[in-house]
Amino acid sequence: MGLVLGGALSVQFGSAVAALLFPRTGVAGAVTLRLTISAALLLVVCRPRLRGHDRSAWLAAGAFGLALAGMNSLFYQAIERIPLGPAVTLEVLGPLALSVFSARRPASWGWAGLALAGVVLLGQGGFDRLNPAGVAFAFGAGAMWAAYIVLSARVGDRFPGVDGLALALTLAALVTLPLGILDGGAALLDPSVLTLGAALAVLASGLPYTLELLALRRIPTATFAVLMSLGPAVATLAGWLVLRQALTLLECAAIVLVIAASIGAVRVNVAAARRPERR
């Protein structure tokens, strides 16, 4: 749990740093900086082995890399248009849905209904105020996040250490590089931009992905998925402290409902996991 919470703090404050980069590099440029620098750092530190992996391992790493590229690109498009807290609240519905479908228990569907009520309440504040495109990008990022969780566990099983993560990040960086260069141009080579990009890479990619990969070797995938739902609270705090993004009471209540639903889903999954042991 400590690994998951540490990763959540790192990635959400990293997202706030990314928003500071958007005016200078564009969204795609910020994504490219984050993924390219974090991939380079991991390749230097880990020096992953390229031999000794079968076809299924390479396919898992490739799919993981595409999920990383999609998740980062869609999420950054979202936070350019809507505040960080609501963006993460909508995004976290992907992992929550994964948990519900994994548990297959009536109580899980009840918690999913509570999360849906939170989304409806968030809409009462006006999705038009949030920007419809931003909302759609956040939902898309949530779907990619669910895929990331499943594929991260598979890659962790097939590669030693964080070798699989380093290789997947490299592919994600290569996929986003052309659009990033078109969007950011020469600004990507500015020393101040590179400094912020390095901070972004460590906070939002290298550190949290490593912590999450290690966590997934210790806890079930479904439990991990809903523990990550504490992200909306951390994101709201980061948006307020770093970006001065204030939310209405209605929006805060919606975020609390989604977090409560995730905590309830965690309890259902833990109870389901322990029941066979008692037999």
Side-chain angles (χ1 to χ4, degrees), residues 27 51 66 71 81 102 117 139 169 185 193 234 239:
V27 177
R51 295 181 180 179
L66 293 177
M71 180 177 69
R81 294 165 171 82
S102 298
F139 279 130
L169 272 174
V193 169
V234 180

Side-chain angles (χ1 to χ4, degrees), residues 66-132:
L66 293 177
L68 282 169
M71 180 177 69
N72 283 285
S73 299
L74 291 170
F75 180 66
Y76 279 14
Q77 290 290 344
I79 64 173
E80 186 191 29
R81 294 165 171 82
I82 61 178
L84 187 56
V88 177
T89 301
L90 296 173
E91 184 193 28
V92 84
L93 295 178
L96 182 57
L98 175 64
S99 175
V100 169
F101 289 122
S102 298
R104 297 179 182 178
R105 294 181 177 274
S108 295
W109 290 103
W111 292 117
L114 183 63
L116 181 60
V119 174
V120 172
L121 188 61
L122 194 63
Q124 295 300 310
F127 277 131
D128 53 340
R129 187 182 90 82
L130 292 179
N131 182 290

Side-chain angles (χ1 to χ4, degrees), residues 9-81:
L9 283 167
S10 184
V11 76
Q12 300 306 340
F13 277 86
S15 296
V17 171
L20 298 176
L21 273 173
F22 292 165
R24 303 182 66 178
T25 64
V27 177
V31 172
T32 292
L33 273 178
R34 170 181 172 173
L35 294 176
T36 301
I37 295 176
S38 59
L41 289 174
L42 271 183
L43 287 174
V44 170
V45 172
C46 301
R47 297 181 181 179
R49 290 188 299 108
L50 299 180
R51 295 181 180 179
H53 307 300
D54 59 20
R55 184 171 177 269
S56 66
W58 283 111
L59 286 175
F64 189 30
L66 293 177
L68 282 169
M71 180 177 69
N72 283 285
S73 299
L74 291 170
F75 180 66
Y76 279 14
Q77 290 290 344
I79 64 173
E80 186 191 29
R81 294 165 171 82

Side-chain angles (χ1 to χ4, degrees), residues 233-259:
V234 180
T236 301
L237 178 63
W240 179 63
L241 289 175
V242 180
L243 304 174
R244 303 302 179 191
Q245 294 176 341
L247 299 179
T248 66
L249 287 176
L250 199 63
E251 289 167 336
C252 289
I255 291 171
V256 168
L257 283 181
V258 173
I259 293 172

